[in-house]
Amino acid sequence: MGILSRASYVVRSKINSLLNRAEDPTETLDYSYEKMRDELQQVKQGIADLTTQKKRLEIQKRRLEENVEKHNEQARQAVRQDRDDLAKRALEKKQAKMNQIEDLESQIANLQETQDNLVDKKNELQNRIEEFRTKKETMKARYEAAEASSRVSEAVSGVGDEMGDVSRALERAEDQTDEMEARSAAMDELVDTGAFDEMMSDKDAIDRELETGRANSEVDTELETLKTEMGKSTAEAESEAESENGSETASADLDEELDEVDVAEEDVEAELEELKNEDDS
C-alpha cells in the first residue's frame, strides 16, 4: 500500500470514527421517518394531481355529452324542417364529439387505473410508515434506556474513581499530618534541651562551656552566700534566746531576794512586838 493510499485510508477512518461518534441513532431514525413521510406526502400530492386531471377530463366528457345531445336535437329539428343537409352536419358533429368522448373515457380509465395503483401504493407506504414509526419509537426507547444505563454506569464508575482519589488524598493528608506532628515534637524537644538555642547562637562550644562554668560558679557563690546569711541569722537568734533566758533568771533571783527581805522584816517586827509586851508587864 502506497503512502497516498495509506493516508487516504487513515483520513477516511478518522472521518468515519468522527461520524460514528457524532451520529445520534435517534436523530437518524427521526430523519428517516420524516423522509418517509415526505415521500408519502409526495404520493398523496401525485394522487391529488391525478385526481384533478381526471376530474377535468370528466368535466370535458360531460360537456361533450351535452354537445352530443345538442347535436341530436339539431338533427331532429333539421329533419322536421326537411333540411337534410343541416341534419347531416349536426350528425357529423355528433359523431366527432362521440369520438372525443371515447378518447376521454379511455384517458379517464387510464387515469383511474393509475390513481388506484397510487392509492394502493400510498396505503402500503402509509402502513410501512406506521410500522416504522412503531419500531422507531421502540428503538428510541431502547436506545434512551441503554444510554441512561450507560450514564449511570459511567457515573458509578466515576464515583468509584473519585472515591479512590479521595482515599489516596486522605492517606497523603494523614502522612503529612504525622510528619508535621513529628516535626513539632522534635522542635519541642530541641527547645527543651536548649539545642535549638545552641543551633541559633553564633557562639562556639567553648564559649557555651565557659558560660556554663561561669553560671555554675555564680550559682555556687550565691549558694555559699545564702548559707552564710542563714548561719549568721541562726547565731543571732541563739544569742537573743540566751539573753532572754538570762534576764528571766536574774528576775527570778531578785524576786527570791525580795521575798527573803520581807520575811526578815516580819521576824524583826515580831521580836519588837515581844519586847514591847515584856516592858509593859
Side-chain angles (χ1 to χ4, degrees), residues 4-122:
L4 295 178
S5 299
R6 289 180 60 189
S8 176
Y9 179 78
V10 171
V11 170
R12 289 197 303 270
S13 300
K14 295 295 184 181
I15 293 175
N16 187 45
S17 177
L18 291 174
L19 291 175
N20 288 334
R21 286 197 297 268
E23 183 180 5
D24 187 353
T26 59
E27 293 180 355
T28 303
L29 292 174
D30 289 336
Y31 177 76
S32 299
Y33 177 71
E34 292 300 325
K35 290 291 291 181
M36 293 178 71
R37 286 177 58 87
D38 291 341
E39 292 177 0
L40 177 62
Q41 186 64 32
Q42 291 177 3
V43 172
K44 290 181 178 180
Q45 184 64 41
I47 293 173
D49 295 340
L50 187 60
T51 303
T52 302
Q53 186 65 26
K54 187 186 70 171
K55 293 295 182 183
R56 289 176 181 173
L57 294 179
E58 290 176 349
I59 293 172
Q60 187 176 359
K61 175 187 173 185
R62 286 197 297 269
R63 289 177 180 175
L64 290 174
E65 291 175 346
E66 292 175 356
N67 289 330
V68 168
E69 185 63 27
K70 178 181 178 182
H71 292 319
N72 281 331
E73 183 66 22
Q74 288 175 347
R76 292 189 187 95
Q77 290 179 4
V79 170
R80 282 194 293 270
Q81 294 177 9
D82 294 328
R83 295 287 306 270
D84 293 340
D85 56 339
L86 293 177
K88 185 177 179 180
R89 288 172 55 189
L91 292 174
E92 289 176 351
K93 290 183 177 180
K94 173 186 172 183
Q95 187 64 39
K97 298 296 190 298
M98 293 282 295
N99 293 332
Q100 293 178 8
I101 290 174
E102 289 180 359
D103 292 338
L104 289 176
E105 287 179 348
S106 178
Q107 294 179 16
I108 291 172
N110 292 332
L111 290 176
Q112 183 64 45
E113 183 178 0
T114 303
Q115 179 181 349
D116 293 339
N117 291 331
L118 289 177
V119 170
D120 292 338
K121 291 181 179 180
K122 185 266 296 181

Side-chain angles (χ1 to χ4, degrees), residues 215-234:
N216 292 333
S217 178
E218 290 176 357
V219 170
D220 293 338
T221 301
E222 186 176 358
L223 178 60
E224 292 298 331
T225 301
L226 182 61
K227 287 180 179 180
T228 301
E229 291 177 354
M230 291 181 67
K232 184 183 293 185
S233 299
T234 303

Side-chain angles (χ1 to χ4, degrees), residues 112-155:
Q112 183 64 45
E113 183 178 0
T114 303
Q115 179 181 349
D116 293 339
N117 291 331
L118 289 177
V119 170
D120 292 338
K121 291 181 179 180
K122 185 266 296 181
N123 293 333
E124 182 180 359
L125 179 59
Q126 191 166 0
N127 292 332
R128 289 177 57 191
I129 291 174
E130 291 298 324
E131 292 177 359
F132 180 79
R133 185 179 68 84
T134 302
K135 292 180 180 180
K136 174 181 73 72
E137 296 299 327
T138 303
M139 185 61 66
K140 286 179 63 176
R142 288 178 57 193
Y143 178 80
E144 291 175 357
E147 186 179 20
S149 178
S150 177
R151 284 198 300 266
V152 171
S153 298
E154 290 176 357

